[in-house]
Amino acid sequence: MRFNPMNPMRFGTRLSSMAGRLDGWSIALVIAAALLLIGLVRMGMRTAGPPPDGPPARATSTPSFPSPNPKIANIDDHASPTEEPRRQAVASFPAIPPPTPLQSTPAQAAQPPSADNSAGIAAYEAGRYRDAIDHFEHARAERPDNPVIRHNLAAATAAVGWAAIESRDATDAIRQFRSAIEFDRTEASFYAGLAAGYQLRHESQRAVEALRAAVAIDPTRAELYEQLAELLYEHNQLQEAVAVLTMGIQRAHPPDHLSLLLARMTREQSLQGHFQQTGTRHFLIQFEGGENRDVAYQVLDLLELAYRDVGQALSFYPEEEIAVILYNNEQFRDMTQTPSWTKGIYDGKIRLPVGGSAPDRHLLAKVLYHEYTHVIVHELSADHAPTWLNEGLAVYCEGLASGNLEGYQEALKRPSGHLPRERLLPLSALHGSFLGYTNEQAALAYAESFDATRYLVDHYGLFRMKELLQLLGTNRPFDRAFEDAFFLSYPEFERLWQETVAS
């Protein structure tokens, strides 16, 4: 099942030499990161040995970061500039407050007004960021050393970068944020945007370095510590994530949310600090005790089969290593806080309860194919798929584990002979989490989800399902993405599908 309590992110690795990893594009970035590293060493942030893994109770998301647009400064007067409404790369992420704008100096104010700067401000406020860039470029040609114009040009360039993040164009996003930093190297949110671009391109090391630079530039922003900690956590560096949060609590304002996140991570670190780990090319698995090693190898074997089979079905193979954690039943319930009917979750990592005895291979395969399908859905949709579609596809792909997809799906199609139409929930009510449902409610929700998903696969094929997920990954509203993928409105689909339920 897909676990979606908060939205924390997936992406990280240790800080090493920034000078050799940023392609030489920003000396300021190197200096900022070096200052941060000095501070971390003084605090005893680094620890020896491989860091254990552990999950904060949260959900993935693709990755993204808060995306503030800095205020535009007007060099022609001393009045406070107007502020562009803040935009976010992913709506569920908290936005970093916009920076304080640069103010005109008396000497600058005495200069003749800059028509291009004023026109750029107007275009920026209207959301025409590329037009704003053109005006600010003309203004900079007249006054190349004016810091306010450079700041405004950087802000407009960063706004284009956040638009590229929203459309998942990593290459353009990275280019825009690099340009913004060249114009103004003092704004932390530009480095956060650069990190988001690197995340989209699965360059986790560079994303971490960019976020570390952001923290060094503005060590008071709690959101930056949160994003960096989550990024490190997603890449199995829980100790460093804990250290980042500890530093954030000391420096950021307000630190309350960081304290809650730190408490969860510390608790999980305590539990999983003694876990062993092994892995394959695509999966890293953690487990407790040598007696679970055989189960761990069986899980890895089945996950590699799922990687092949589900990948072939949806023509997609994730590039980054996927973390898997095996718990005993008590640990699983304690860590995930999930109801008794759950047999596994995916919240950026696949988590499974395993008993003392060897699991039934067929049942284990179904669970693993189910949870691995959530990985695919998350990657393709940037975590924007409604729960009914996410769970429906996961149940559908369980059939790939049996080697007889059609027979398996037919047996599942009407679990009790038919779905009770009088008890059906509208699909719009199944967009959120199922975790609060009772056993009976969950059974109905999963049956509906599978039935509606199968209808779509039967009529349009898995290729169009993948297209829908990719459209959702561009932050397109679900109704519109659905109609673009299937040339059918969402309400009309639901009506047609419910007619088959009644038959």
Side-chain angles (χ1 to χ4, degrees), residues 414-484:
R414 299 287 188 263
S416 59
H418 71 283
L419 286 170
R421 181 168 184 176
E422 68 280 0
R423 294 174 52 209
L424 287 182
L425 293 169
L427 291 178
S428 59
L430 298 177
H431 279 223
S433 173
F434 294 174
L435 287 175
Y437 290 173
T438 64
N439 290 5
E440 183 180 4
Q441 291 169 333
L444 179 60
Y446 275 86
E448 275 194 53
S449 299
F450 169 74
D451 209 67
T453 300
R454 173 166 177 159
Y455 180 95
L456 287 172
V457 175
D458 287 348
H459 286 77
Y460 299 98
L462 285 170
F463 174 81
R464 298 280 282 280
M465 295 293 285
K466 179 186 177 183
E467 183 178 353
L468 170 60
L469 296 175
Q470 290 174 317
L471 290 171
L472 293 173
T474 64
N475 282 346
R476 196 168 304 193
F478 182 75
D479 287 15
R480 195 175 118 206
F482 190 95
E483 188 163 356
D484 289 346

Side-chain angles (χ1 to χ4, degrees), residues 46 54 61 94 98 121 132 135 150 157 160 171 187 222 228 244 262 265 294 357 360 367 404 416 433-434 488 497:
R46 299 297 294 241
S61 56
I121 292 171
H135 288 297
R150 292 179 66 87
T157 302
V160 175
T171 299
E187 175 46 50
L228 178 56
V244 165
L262 177 62
M265 282 194 180
D294 290 343
S357 58
D360 179 276
V367 172
N404 181 15
S416 59
S433 173
F434 294 174
L488 177 73
W497 163 67

Side-chain angles (χ1 to χ4, degrees), residues 62 88-90 162-169 200 379-384 467-477 480-481 484:
T62 207
Q88 293 179 301
V90 174
W162 284 116
I165 292 293
E166 292 175 355
S167 62
R168 298 176 69 79
D169 186 343
L200 284 178
E379 293 283 347
L380 288 173
S381 71
D383 212 21
H384 290 156
E467 183 178 353
L468 170 60
L469 296 175
Q470 290 174 317
L471 290 171
L472 293 173
T474 64
N475 282 346
R476 196 168 304 193
R480 195 175 118 206
D484 289 346

Side-chain angles (χ1 to χ4, degrees), residues 33-51:
L35 291 174
L36 175 61
L37 180 57
I38 292 170
L40 297 181
V41 170
R42 287 176 178 174
M43 293 176 59
M45 179 176 179
R46 299 297 294 241
T47 56

Side-chain angles (χ1 to χ4, degrees), residues 52-383:
D53 187 16
R58 57 172 185 61
T60 66
S61 56
T62 207
S64 289
F65 282 78
S67 55
N69 282 342
K71 295 180 181 179
I72 288 290
N74 192 329
I75 65 172
D76 301 327
D77 55 46
H78 296 283
S80 296
T82 52
E83 177 187 338
E84 161 72 5
R86 289 177 295 181
R87 302 150 38 103
Q88 293 179 301
V90 174
S92 57
F93 269 81
I96 298 174
T100 302
L102 296 173
Q103 300 293 336
S104 303
T105 66
Q108 293 165 351
Q111 296 177 1
S114 169
D116 277 311
N117 188 69
S118 299
I121 292 171
Y124 184 97
E125 293 171 353
R128 295 182 287 106
Y129 302 116
R130 293 190 183 274
D131 289 345
I133 290 173
D134 290 340
H135 288 297
F136 292 138
E137 285 282 15
H138 284 107
R140 188 170 72 99
E142 296 175 1
R143 305 177 187 180
D145 298 324
N146 187 290
V148 174
I149 291 176
R150 292 179 66 87
H151 170 83
N152 293 348
L153 179 56
T157 302
V160 175
W162 284 116
I165 292 293
E166 292 175 355
S167 62
R168 298 176 69 79
D169 186 343
T171 299
D172 188 43
I174 292 169
R175 180 170 57 248
Q176 299 299 337
F177 284 113
R178 281 185 169 182
S179 295
I181 291 168
E182 288 297 326
F183 297 134
D184 182 356
R185 296 174 179 174
T186 65
E187 175 46 50
S189 68
F190 299 163
Y191 292 86
L194 181 63
Y198 282 134
Q199 287 178 224
L200 284 178
R201 206 156 70 179
H202 302 288
E203 297 184 30
S204 302
Q205 174 64 37
R206 288 181 169 178
V208 167
E209 291 165 351
L211 267 180
R212 288 191 186 278
V215 170
I217 291 169
D218 190 348
T220 65
R221 286 185 174 177
E223 298 90 340
L224 292 174
Y225 292 98
E226 179 183 354
Q227 299 297 341
L228 178 56
E230 289 168 349
L231 181 57
L232 290 166
Y233 158 74
E234 286 294 340
H235 285 269
N236 305 313
Q237 299 198 46
L238 184 56
Q239 280 184 297
E240 290 199 8
V242 167
V244 165
L245 291 172
T246 301
M247 183 172 66
I249 289 171
Q250 295 172 350
R251 299 182 178 183
H253 307 288
D256 296 351
H257 182 69
L258 298 181
S259 298
L260 295 174
L261 188 58
L262 177 62
R264 290 198 299 269
M265 282 194 180
T266 302
R267 178 164 158 266
E268 291 155 7
Q269 183 184 34
S270 175
L271 170 65
Q272 295 171 200
H274 64 283
F275 277 25
Q276 301 177 31
Q277 68 181 38
T278 185
T280 63
R281 178 183 175 186
H282 304 117
F283 300 93
L284 174 69
I285 191 167
Q286 293 183 307
F287 55 94
E288 183 178 29
E291 66 274 11
N292 289 322
R293 184 171 294 275
D294 290 343
V295 177
Y297 283 127
Q298 186 175 9
V299 167
L300 285 174
D301 178 53
L302 290 170
L303 281 172
E304 286 294 340
L305 293 175
Y307 186 91
R308 179 198 67 190
D309 295 340
V310 181
Q312 288 177 348
L314 290 168
S315 301
F316 182 76
Y317 302 89
E319 298 176 10
E320 293 200 328
E321 184 180 68
I322 299 158
V324 185
I325 305 176
L326 304 184
Y327 302 99
N328 64 39
N329 290 327
E330 182 179 354
Q331 290 169 340
F332 178 78
R333 300 301 168 197
D334 185 44
M335 287 293 101
T336 65
Q337 298 295 302
T338 52
S340 60
W341 49 262
T342 57
K343 298 177 181 178
I345 65 167
Y346 172 69
D347 63 351
K349 300 180 181 182
I350 295 174
R351 309 184 192 279
L352 300 170
V354 292
S357 58
D360 179 276
R361 183 177 175 87
H362 176 67
L363 294 178
L364 180 61
K366 286 173 55 179
V367 172
L368 291 171
Y369 274 65
H370 182 110
E371 299 305 331
Y372 179 72
T373 302
H374 287 317
V375 177
I376 299 289
V377 173
H378 165 81
E379 293 283 347
L380 288 173
S381 71
D383 212 21

